[in-house]
Amino acid sequence: MTLYLYDTYTRSLREFTPLNPAPAGEKPEVGLYTCGPTVYDYAHIGNLRTYIFEDVLRRVLEFNGYRVNHVMNITDVGHLTSDADEGEDKMEKGARRLGKTAWDIAEFFAGAFRQDLARLNILEPTIWCKATDHIPEQIEFIRCIEEKGYTYRTSDGIYFDTSKLPNYGYLARLDIEGLQAGARIEMGEKRHPTDFALWKFSPPGQKRQMEWDSPWGVGFPGWHIECSAMSAKYLCTYFDIHCGGEDHISVHHSNEIAQTEACYGTRLANFWMHGHFLQLDDAKMAKSSGEFLRLDTLIERGYDPLAYRFFCLSAHYRSKLNFHWDSLDGAATSLDRLRSNVYEWGEPGEPDQDYVEKFTAQVNDDLNMPRALAVTWDLVKSDLPAAVKKATILVFDQVLGLRLAEWKPVDEPIPDEILALVEQRQAARREKRWSEADALRDQVIAAGYEIEDTPEGPRVRHRKQLQSS
Ligand code: AMP
Ligand code: ZN
């Protein structure tokens, strides 16, 4: 079945075909590069929405019979507090805040990130690559751009002259003339507002924790060059799909494209895909704002991480998604219901091909996961034999990634005090004391239990039952 993906570069749905033909007797390979985290802090649940979208993409490609060579970078140097190449390196600032070295916090937060991915059942990339492990490759890349005549030197670094690239900013449909005319921002010695640093010099008289020698002087690479250099090394200078969050379109990805076009004269990636932001109470969630929700925050409140994955699957990756605790509760309950159904179906038989086709049609329509979930619920409600349903849903789970085969209910009695709270809640509901009933329900949830109201009365379960064993 044909796979369609939305390509930000052309602003259109395009049929996906891999750039390279399959080697004889092997599956065709797809090169996928996803911009990874800047490891100066934990990932917030907004970041994780983007990684869940990218995981679904990877799984859908594999579902379609491709072998995916998935590269993810770890930004551990060069990402400054302002995308306009001003301010401090986020890593050095983070290290000072925590009283550790930049190297230590990079190690620590990269580990925490990998743990988050594992908890969300996000497949590990084929290749992880750290910016600090690829300094020579980045220097070589900058040298190539310099040789082609796209750079200039200022007192604080080597910059890319974006005016020399005729279609600079096409990905973001940037209005270059408008930007130039309206440039009120402090440009320093930059010649154009969209020019960006390829190499920054260590500030005079200061020794940075992370700095290297280079043909231009001691310093560190700009943020964008790592992705051009590492994708060229591990994939190719022109590869299949490049992804990130929507904020990357106007600066980071526009600059990656400029670097690769300047050095190699190629387009960098055949498809550009971007996940929309998770909003928190309608405000953009930003790691740099300090206060943010982590996966651990959700776990501390008794949620299964996969309930967050399920919550993200309920919205298309190109639509806005607002985070509310109520919606997460809804996702946790739905996931729980799905899991208990699947468990009760017993051993799998043969999958139902009509349902597999319906599901494939939705995931191949630019990863339409809300519709794919609707097909999943249709299957649950269908009158197919349990063994067929079980086998079919396990096929779906290759894309959903909800670990449906592993889940088992926990046989632990519900403590008397929880049953008492549930009984008090029933009494409050009977007497229409709704806010009291809600408060009692919240107490039950906070204690690690879940109430499902059924026609036969409330069903109480341990939240551990929501977690895969
Ligand atoms: P960072 O660690 O800041 O480099 O961001 C890691 C990834 O998360 C990037 O792909 C960003 O585009 C993405 N991202 C940042 N904030 C959000 C958000 N609120 N919702 C979804 N994705 C985000
Ligand atoms: Zn990148």
Side-chain angles (χ1 to χ4, degrees), residues 35 227 252 256:
C35 290
C227 290
H252 182 54
E256 282 186 35

Side-chain angles (χ1 to χ4, degrees), residues 245-265:
E246 59 176 338
D247 59 324
H248 284 347
I249 299 172
S250 60
V251 180
H252 182 54
H253 288 168
S254 292
N255 294 348
E256 282 186 35
I257 289 174
Q259 294 165 155
T260 297
E261 288 189 353
C263 178
Y264 293 113

